[in-house]
Amino acid sequence: MNLSFKDINFIIEAIDSLIEKYQGRLNQIEDIDEDEASDIGNDTMFLESLRRKLANSLNNNI
């Protein structure tokens, strides 16, 4: 699949929004539900890694 510059930027913005949402949820539940907090933390780390890879892809193609 070939993604355009605009496509990748859109995905990065969506990832940023989701990370923000996850961090807000994590702040609400981190002392209440350790399992859910762990899942959210893991998902957040995955999204941050994915975001870095996409950003690097953009930088390399500019």
Side-chain angles (χ1 to χ4, degrees):
M1 175 189 314
N2 291 327
L3 298 173
S4 71
F5 180 85
K6 185 177 180 177
D7 295 337
I8 295 172
N9 271 329
F10 185 84
I11 293 168
I12 289 172
E13 288 178 16
I15 289 171
D16 287 341
S17 178
L18 189 54
I19 288 171
E20 187 176 311
K21 181 179 176 181
Y22 281 2
Q23 288 173 339
R25 178 68 178 145
L26 188 58
N27 290 336
Q28 291 175 347
I29 59 118
E30 65 186 338
D31 294 330
I32 299 169
D33 187 343
E34 289 182 21
D35 289 335
E36 185 179 357
S38 177
D39 289 343
I40 292 172
N42 291 336
D43 290 348
T44 300
M45 287 189 295
F46 173 76
L47 286 170
E48 289 169 344
S49 174
L50 181 59
R51 188 201 184 288
R52 275 191 303 277
K53 289 177 186 177
L54 288 167
N56 287 340
S57 176
L58 276 183
N59 291 334
N60 291 336
N61 290 327
I62 291 180

